[in-house]
Amino acid sequence: MNRDFPEMDTLASASTARATVVSHRVVRHAQLEPLDVALSTARDALIRLQNAQGYWLFELEADATIPAEYIMMMHFLGEIDSALEAKIANFLRARQAEHGGWPLYYRGEFDLSCSVKAYFALKLAGDDPAAPHMERAREAILARGGAARANVFTRIALALFGQIPWRGVPYIPVEIMLLPKWFPFHLEKVSYWSRTVMVPLFILCTLKPLAKNPRGVEIRELFTTPPEKERHYFRLRGPLSRVFLALDRMGRAIDPFIPGTMRARAMKSAEEWVLARLNGEGGLGAIFPAMVNALEALTVLGYSGNDPRRVMAKRALQKLVVVNGAQAYCQPCVSPIWDTALASLAMQEAGGAAALAASQRALDWLQPLQLLDDPGDWQVRRPGLRGGGWAFQFLNSYYPDLDDTAVVAWSMHQARDPARYAESVQRALDWLVGMQSRNGGFGSFDADNTHYSLNEIPFADHGALLDPPTSDVTARVVSFLTRVGRTQDGDAITRAIDFLRKEQEPDGSWFGRWGTNYIYGTWSVLMALAHAGIGRDDPAVRRGVDWLKARQNADGGWGESNDSYLARGATRGAMASTPYHTAWALLGLLASGEADCDAVQRGVEHLLAAQRRDGLWSDPSYTAPGFPRVFYLKYHGYCGYFPFWALAAYRNLTRTGTSH
């Protein structure tokens, strides 16, 4: 079970009891339509998973990288929880694929960086390199160029363990903290996740500590050329990357001549930046990569093991661990506000006393978490704007996000007692409109975070340094703004819709930045256009609808692999049907006036047939990217509230002609 959030394990532990309850309910409702039974059982199952405080919290699973990094962190610090390490090792072994390595998502292709970290973690945990699973992994890694070809974050981790020389990682000195805002690179020009990951890395990469590594584990066997002789750690991606690489080399050359007073001032600036955003037991940025870097940076800076700030930073990481019997893994973060807001919308769509009461409990829990007067990095771009957003996690006051804010406030606006949340909704509206970017779209955490040239710096080989406006977040904001319909928001809505029209792909779909992928993006935009009063005959709507219908599988459902992120184009990624993709497609079609079409009927039948005896749905696939092509997520709640929402919307439209 999860040590801090035991309710996350309810779904697995209570299945037998629920099956009995559901069987009795099906008998009791034998005369009801299958759709009514499906909705009532799904509603009851979700309500049973609601925390007594009012929130929903489902597991948020990532690939093998983060559990591997958790083991590496313990060995860096020399603070090893052997029992937990053994459970995480079991998790890693169980997820090794037939190709010998580890993928970034279910049934994905081999990923070199993930595989290097998983192999290293298992060897740190005591696995014999001669064991068959380790031999298979090693052969797969070497066949693809070896550990020297791993990404920047992996190479930094290897440098901290002394496995590669520091020239094998980008030059990111702590003096970056002192650069003026006009300089080509500045912290304010990159995304929130990049900021929170990079600042503690500046400390680590400047001080160049060596991991304690109490067992003295090395992985030289993963290199095709001895790491100290390797001369090709950096790959050139274009003319601009050559310029940045030349600057990188220049920086290394002048590093010995940096005055000590300047370095001390920069180090103090980085330390204070981290401490100001340490975020209690929520952790720096409330995301694992930033949190683990912060803990290691505090340790290297000399904070003792019993210093409250170091204790708190470590506790934040421990709270991310999920233990399921003999296995354990570490989540990248937690998603209570996102889960709660979406489940609330689904409950409102379903209607009825029990569902609406559950929604109100959720909204009452959400309301005091609105970030009104808190300091936040978003204020750099919008210094005169009042706060009004919500974060994604329990705690993340410096970083509210627009997607969560739009969904929370949307649900509050259509609550049974909207006056109860009127002030919260108005503050959210003001904040969202104030965060619109110049191109009319909305990013996730910042406005106008569009310095695209920075994705060419050596540190950014992952291509995810920025937080530009995206179709899915923009669509969610448009859905909310148009539902409220304030006169003063008219221009913002018009500009946002123009952005969405420009973002439509040639085949009619929309790219999904925060959900997999074109089905998610297309659902999001079609719903926004419907809320904006754009009819089913609009050319953009027709093209989106036609694309969704063409992607329907023979079994009536929809599915899409994360392979679709490997190339910009919606023709890739065909996959077996999943409950959440089917729900997204149905919600998009229903919003576009297609309730009576054959595709919708077949999709509904697919969901009804796929529903489990406990009332919910399940699928092993990964539902979203953290960063496309780099890091992927499985939201365990998506197979619960999204199919429930879609079936409720279908019932409402086909029986009453209205839907939320």
Side-chain angles (χ1 to χ4, degrees):
M1 64 177 290
N2 183 286
R3 295 172 175 177
D4 299 282
F5 309 123
E7 64 276 3
M8 296 175 66
D9 302 295
T10 307
L11 186 61
S13 64
S15 59
T16 303
R18 288 186 201 146
T20 303
V21 172
V22 171
S23 66
H24 289 189
R25 184 177 297 107
V26 170
V27 171
R28 188 164 65 249
H29 295 305
Q31 302 305 313
L32 295 179
E33 293 283 346
L35 179 59
D36 295 316
V37 175
L39 285 169
S40 65
T41 54
R43 177 201 63 210
D44 293 349
L46 282 169
I47 289 175
R48 285 194 295 275
L49 292 173
Q50 188 175 23
N51 184 275
Q53 296 181 43
Y55 64 82
W56 278 274
L57 178 64
F58 295 88
E59 292 182 33
L60 180 57
E61 185 177 346
D63 56 72
T65 302
I66 288 181
E69 289 179 355
Y70 198 95
I71 288 178
M72 294 171 70
M73 173 200 71
M74 291 193 288
H75 287 258
F76 178 91
L77 300 173
E79 300 172 4
I80 302 169
D81 180 337
S82 298
L84 177 59
E85 178 183 70
K87 291 177 184 288
I88 295 176
N90 288 339
F91 177 91
L92 292 174
R93 293 187 207 102
R95 278 153 182 77
Q96 187 176 16
E98 292 184 4
H99 48 55
W102 283 262
L104 293 178
Y105 47 87
Y106 180 69
R107 292 186 176 174
E109 296 297 323
F110 173 94
D111 184 80
L112 178 62
S113 299
C114 181
S115 298
V116 168
K117 286 183 177 177
Y119 180 97
F120 194 12
L122 288 175
K123 192 172 181 182
L124 288 168
D127 282 21
D128 187 343
H133 69 285
M134 297 291 277
E135 288 186 346
R136 289 196 303 118
R138 185 167 60 252
E139 290 170 3
I141 291 168
L142 292 173
R144 292 163 176 83
R149 302 281 83 79
N151 64 24
V152 162
F153 289 119
T154 302
R155 299 203 309 274
I156 290 175
L158 296 181
L160 289 169
F161 275 83
Q163 302 305 294
I164 66 170
W166 280 98
R167 62 177 174 78
V169 305
Y171 178 66
I172 48 173
V174 74
E175 284 75 21
I176 290 174
M177 298 296 299
L178 305 180
L179 292 175
K181 292 184 179 181
W182 54 261
F183 199 77
F185 181 88
H186 192 274
L187 279 179
E188 294 173 6
K189 296 179 179 179
V190 300
S191 65
Y192 121 73
W193 55 84
S194 299
R195 259 172 265 147
T196 55
V197 168
M198 291 176 78
V199 174
L201 274 185
F202 295 161
I203 296 171
L204 294 170
C205 291
T206 299
L207 296 178
K208 298 180 175 57
L210 187 64
K212 290 191 176 180
N213 193 7
R215 297 171 188 166
V217 175
E218 296 184 342
I219 52 167
R220 292 181 63 85
E221 68 270 22
L222 295 188
F223 292 85
T224 58
T225 299
E228 65 276 6
K229 296 181 179 180
E230 176 65 57
R231 290 293 180 268
H232 302 288
Y233 283 107
F234 296 95
R235 288 169 288 178
L236 296 174
R237 304 191 301 275
L240 192 56
S241 69
R242 293 177 183 272
V243 173
F244 281 122
L245 190 57
L247 292 173
D248 183 272
R249 290 170 178 164
M250 185 184 305
R252 294 177 197 274
I254 66 173
D255 186 85
F257 304 102
I258 294 175
T261 54
M262 179 182 291
R263 175 140 293 175
R265 184 159 63 94
M267 193 68 69
K268 187 65 174 177
S269 177
E271 180 181 358
E272 290 175 350
W273 193 96
V274 170
L275 291 175
R277 294 161 178 77
L278 210 51
N279 192 36
E281 290 191 356
L284 177 62
I287 51 174
F288 176 87
M291 293 158 64
V292 72
N293 289 345
L295 175 60
E296 293 178 358
L298 291 177
T299 303
V300 170
L301 287 170
Y303 286 77
S304 67
N306 58 6
D307 185 286
R309 291 158 293 189
R310 180 171 159 183
V311 170
M312 188 167 53
K314 185 174 182 181
R315 176 66 178 150
L317 288 160
Q318 292 171 331
K319 291 177 71 172
L320 294 176
V321 174
V322 175
V323 179
N324 292 315
Q327 294 188 11
Y329 75 93
C330 182
Q331 301 172 100
C333 61
V334 291
S335 55
I337 292 181
W338 186 241
D339 285 332
T340 301
L342 289 169
S344 176
L345 283 175
M347 289 291 170
Q348 290 172 338
E349 189 71 55
L356 294 178
S359 173
Q360 183 166 308
R361 289 195 298 273
L363 298 178
D364 286 347
W365 178 79
L366 286 164
Q367 189 173 30
L369 298 181
Q370 190 174 23
L371 300 169
L372 300 174
D373 302 310
D374 307 75
D377 284 1
W378 59 270
Q379 293 165 331
V380 171
R381 291 279 181 181
R382 298 292 187 267
L385 182 63
R386 293 195 310 167
W390 278 267
F392 181 77
Q393 305 90 346
F394 284 111
L395 293 171
N396 198 7
S397 61
Y398 266 80
Y399 303 108
D401 76 272
L402 282 73
D403 217 356
D404 278 88
T405 300
V407 174
V408 171
W410 170 1
S411 187
M412 287 181 168
H413 175 67
Q414 67 181 28
R416 180 167 50 183
D417 179 15
R420 188 185 190 103
Y421 313 106
E423 177 60 24
S424 296
V425 169
Q426 292 303 312
R427 289 291 294 267
L429 286 164
D430 292 342
W431 186 71
L432 288 169
V433 171
M435 292 294 289
Q436 189 169 27
S437 291
R438 285 189 294 267
N439 64 6
F442 293 86
S444 299
F445 298 89
D446 285 293
D448 297 314
N449 196 255
T450 53
H451 297 273
Y452 293 107
S453 62
L454 295 181
N455 275 329
E456 299 299 323
I457 67 175
F459 179 82
D461 64 351
H462 57 301
L465 202 67
L466 306 176
D467 177 19
T470 62
S471 295
D472 45 350
V473 176
T474 302
R476 214 91 59 228
V477 176
V478 168
S479 291
F480 171 50
L481 296 183
T482 53
R483 288 189 69 86
V484 180
R486 297 192 311 183
T487 303
Q488 65 263 41
D489 299 334
D491 179 65
I493 292 169
T494 298
R495 293 173 56 225
I497 292 174
D498 288 344
F499 171 85
L500 292 175
R501 290 188 183 279
K502 292 173 184 175
E503 287 291 300
Q504 190 170 24
E505 300 285 338
D507 62 10
S509 66
W510 278 270
F511 181 80
R513 167 61 181 87
W514 296 102
T516 305
N517 171 348
Y518 295 98
I519 295 176
Y520 181 87
T522 304
W523 152 62
S524 300
V525 177
L526 287 178
M527 181 168 281
L529 296 179
H531 286 157
I534 296 173
R536 60 184 298 178
D537 295 328
D538 181 89
V541 174
R542 291 316 317 156
R543 291 168 59 219
V545 165
D546 291 345
W547 181 85
L548 279 177
K549 289 182 178 179
R551 286 297 302 264
Q552 190 170 25
N553 289 330
D555 62 5
W558 281 263
E560 183 177 356
S561 168
N562 285 295
D563 293 348
S564 61
Y565 288 106
L566 300 178
R568 186 80 179 204
T571 57
R572 303 190 59 165
M575 191 176 77
S577 299
T578 73
Y580 57 93
H581 280 119
T582 302
W584 293 338
L586 286 173
L587 287 167
L589 292 173
L590 291 169
S592 304
E594 298 289 326
D596 295 328
C597 75
D598 178 67
V600 167
Q601 183 62 42
R602 292 171 56 222
V604 168
E605 291 172 355
H606 176 83
L607 285 183
L608 293 176
Q611 189 176 23
R612 299 185 319 204
R613 287 177 59 84
D614 68 0
L616 300 181
W617 293 259
S618 64
D619 194 85
S621 57
Y622 277 43
T623 62
F627 311 124
R629 301 183 301 278
V630 178
F631 174 62
Y632 295 86
L633 303 167
K634 179 181 178 180
Y635 287 83
H636 286 223
Y638 279 16
C639 284
Y641 41 75
F642 277 121
F644 174 54
W645 184 359
L647 291 178
Y650 172 76
R651 180 203 60 191
N652 294 343
L653 283 168
T654 55
R655 294 189 185 171
T656 67
T658 61
S659 174
H660 292 298

